[in-house]
Every structure is written in C-alpha cells, then in structure tokens.
Amino acid sequence: MKLSDRALEYRFWQDAVYEKDWKNALDFLIESLRDELVFDNLAIYIIDENGKRSEIAYARAIGREKNAEADASWGEEIADKVMLKNEIVFDSPSEEESSSKRVANPYLAGMPLMASGKLIGILSLIRFGGPVYTQEDISVALLAAVVIAYIFEKRALQESIIALEKVQRQMRLQDDFVSTISHELRTPLGFIKGYSTTLLRDDTEWDEETRREFLTIIDEEADHLTGLIENILESARLQSQTFDMNFQPLRLDVLVRDIITRVHARYENFEIVFTNYSEKIIQGDNTRLAQVFENLFSNTVKYAPKSKIEISIKNEDGNLLKVSFSDSGAGISEEHLPFIFDRFYRVPDQPKKAGTGLGLFISKRIIEAHHGKIWAESDAKKGTRFIILLPTEQNN
Ligand code: ADP
C-alpha cells in the first residue's frame, strides 16, 4: 500500500475539520495526533503578507519536557530551514549527542504548510531523545500539515469575511450619509437663499428690526453651514490620519465651565449640574477639547431634550482624569451603543434630528490624540453617560 493511501486510513483530523474555532480545531487535532505520532513539542509558525515568519501562532508541549511550551524558540531554526528549502526538513543529532544531552539535542522535523500552492506556514515537531522519524511518521505528519494549513486558510477566510462585513456596513452608512448630508446642506442654504431674496425684493421696504432679524438668521445659518462643512472635511482628513494638535497645559474644569456658560447663554432653561473634584492640569488642545464637549452638549439638546445634564471631573488612579457626562434622556439601545462612535453612524430608531453622524467619530479621534479614551454607557429609559479618561501631567 502506498504511504499516501495508508495516511488516509487515519481519522485523527476529523474533529478538527468540522470545528469552527481555529484554536479549538488545533487542540482537537493535536490531541488525536498524539495517538498516531510520538512528539514532545509542536509549534506552528505562520508566514505574514511580507513573506516573513511571524511570531509563533500555536505551540503545545505534550511529552516529558512540558516546560518547553513557553520556550518554543527551538522550532524557529528548523522553521527557517523549511522556508528556505520549501520542503520537509529533519534535524537529528547523533546517537551519542542525543543520549548524553537529550534536551539540548532533540530530533526535529519541519513540515511546510501549503495552501493554494503557497507556503503559508511551518509545522515544527520535536522529540527529546528520539526515536528517529520513520516514513510512517512522516506521512502522518504530512497529513497533519495539510489539515493545519486548511485550518489557517479557514481562519484567514473568516477574518476576511469579518473585514468585508465591516466595509459593507461602512458603505451602507456612507449611502445613508449622502442622503442625510444633502438634506443637512439644503436646509441652511434654503434659509439663506429665502431670507436674502426676501430682503432684496424691490417692491417691499423692511423696517430696521425685521431686516436685522432676517440678517441674523442668514448669519446663523451660514455659521451652521460652515460647521457642517468643517465636520465633513475633518472626518475625511481623519480617514487619512492627519490631525493637527496644539497641546498646551490646561485645566479641564475651567474649559468645561466656560462651555457651560456658553451653553447657558444659548439655552437658558438647561439644567446643568457640574461637580468638580479635580483642578489638575492636563496637556491638551483647548479648541479640540471644547469641540468634544460642545458636541456632547449639542447631542443632549437633540437626543435628550429637556433632560438634566450632570457632569463631574474626578481624579482617577494612574494619573488620569475621569469626566462623566450624563443625561436623563431616552438612552441608546444596547444593539446600537457599540457603533455610535463610528463614522456616519446614527441610531436608526430615534426621532429624526439634524446631524451627520460625524460628531462622536471626530470626538473619539480627538480624545485618542490626547492618549485618552471615550465611551458611552446607556440604560434604556435612564439616559446616556459618556465617560472620558484623559492623562494628567505627571506630578501635579
Ligand atoms: P449626529 O448627532 O450628527 O448624528 P454624533 O456622532 O454626534 O452625530 O452622534 C451619533 C449618534 O449617537 C446620534 O445620531 C444619536 O443617534 C446618538 N446619540 C448621541 N448622543 C446621544 C444622547 N445623548 N442620547 C441619545 N442618543 C445619542
């Protein structure tokens, strides 16, 4: 019987090929492989897209020298030889070497992991103190290598599907964005055009008060338009990673207090409770951080109208400032919460409000540029809480 036919009689690979999770699949495979093949340690290396051997992808120590799992670097040399020759490689010590220093002189075997005719990784096997690998052992190991290559191909496929789904989601959001943004741009333009045409009419005289009122609307709508366009341009710029920051020492509590004064000037009836427990200094970009808080306030106006806002700033372990910004609005449902910081994302089941889905995306990027973190917690009916962590200057 040919060795390849003989190999097909083995059944150790069956559980592995039906298992979805790649790590479990490898665990199943290695467990049952041990019934057919003697080895003490096993390591799998994957070749990255640049053709380089990457970190160890999987290692198991089964035999007598169990401690060798952590120290899987023994497999690297043989793996490199396999990469060079693109074929099975054996490294066997002389009998004398092996019997005198078993652990220092193991029997090594390296198998190429091939998928679609390409070397995608290496399987390295180790035996302390032999015996030498037989033809039968090799055919079993080769079959194991085929199954392992299949498992890693499947993993790559699963990863591509996840990446693709993300792109699809992004494209859907982008489509929604185009219709949202055309509406968002048209509304202020409509006001500007309407009021200026009215003012320019030859057949009507406007009193000073009305003229001022119309011009104020035009002025505000032009500002609105500018803000909108800036957001769009900024988010496009952020896609290519450029972000100009002007870091200076600043007090976050002072910045927040300033914004609260401005918010109060615009929305008189807004109840804002600010509790400050920290006057620590941070390194920050004043304008950018103000943008983050202004967006949080404007979101509360839109999505949690009439709700009370509670803000607190506290010192947190590890030289951090923790800002908590909560409203008592309708909240964000669990299924949408993970996505609200994505570009263009808008929670679909909320009453329609003006917006582009860019504010939180930009805010997150600003906080990350400060080496901080921002996330949201929400309890249906209890409102939404945004948390921001920012590093403080050491020793203050
Ligand atoms: P925009 O307000 O322009 O849509 P954002 O990026 O600022 O964009 O917010 C993304 C989405 O998160 C909003 O469309 C809204 O659905 C949701 N959201 C943000 N803040 C709140 C809040 N305080 N309460 C409920 N939903 C919110």
Side-chain angles (χ1 to χ4, degrees), residues 43-56:
I44 298 169
Y45 302 90
I46 291 300
I47 295 173
D48 64 21
E49 61 271 24
N50 304 317
K52 295 235 157 45
R53 174 173 57 72
S54 63
E55 298 271 297
I56 201 148

Side-chain angles (χ1 to χ4, degrees), residues 231 295-296 298-300 302-304 325 327 329-332 339-342 344-348 350 353-363 378 383-384 386:
N231 263 359
N295 187 55
L296 291 181
S298 106
N299 279 351
T300 316
K302 290 193 286 186
Y303 308 110
F325 187 110
D327 64 49
I332 300 169
F339 304 111
I340 59 167
F341 293 93
D342 285 359
F344 306 139
Y345 198 85
R346 311 196 71 207
V347 176
Q350 283 175 340
K353 296 285 168 175
T356 53
L358 292 174
L360 287 178
F361 166 76
I362 295 172
S363 300
S378 187
T384 312
F386 288 90

Side-chain angles (χ1 to χ4, degrees), residues 178-291:
V178 173
S179 53
T180 312
I181 202 65
S182 14
H183 170 77
E184 289 299 307
L185 291 174
R186 272 205 200 106
T187 313
L189 268 179
F191 277 116
I192 294 172
K193 176 75 186 153
Y195 282 101
S196 41
T197 308
T198 311
L199 282 175
L200 286 170
R201 277 171 64 165
D202 291 333
D203 55 352
T204 322
E205 282 285 313
W206 300 104
D207 60 64
E208 184 53 26
E209 195 186 333
T210 316
R211 231 172 51 84
R212 266 207 88 74
E213 189 192 326
F214 287 4
L215 283 172
T216 308
I217 295 173
I218 293 172
D219 188 48
E220 280 175 2
E221 291 303 321
D223 284 349
H224 179 181
L225 211 54
T226 310
L228 216 62
I229 291 168
E230 263 167 20
N231 263 359
I232 298 168
L233 291 178
E234 182 137 280
S235 92
R237 246 181 279 132
L238 283 177
Q239 287 294 89
S240 57
Q241 299 294 318
T242 45
F243 214 156
D244 284 339
M245 283 288 183
N246 181 14
F247 286 109
Q248 277 167 351
L250 60 89
R251 279 211 1 226
L252 201 60
D253 58 311
V254 174
L255 181 141
V256 171
R257 223 178 280 282
D258 277 355
I259 297 172
I260 293 176
T261 312
R262 262 185 274 161
V263 172
H264 267 146
R266 278 180 75 185
Y267 309 97
E268 282 166 20
N269 299 327
F270 231 129
E271 190 184 352
I272 303 171
V273 181
F274 177 37
T275 333
N276 181 35
Y277 300 97
S278 176
E279 296 186 346
K280 284 199 171 175
I281 294 170
I282 65 165
Q283 276 294 332
D285 182 317
N286 210 66
T287 317
R288 294 294 191 180
L289 288 174
Q291 195 181 343

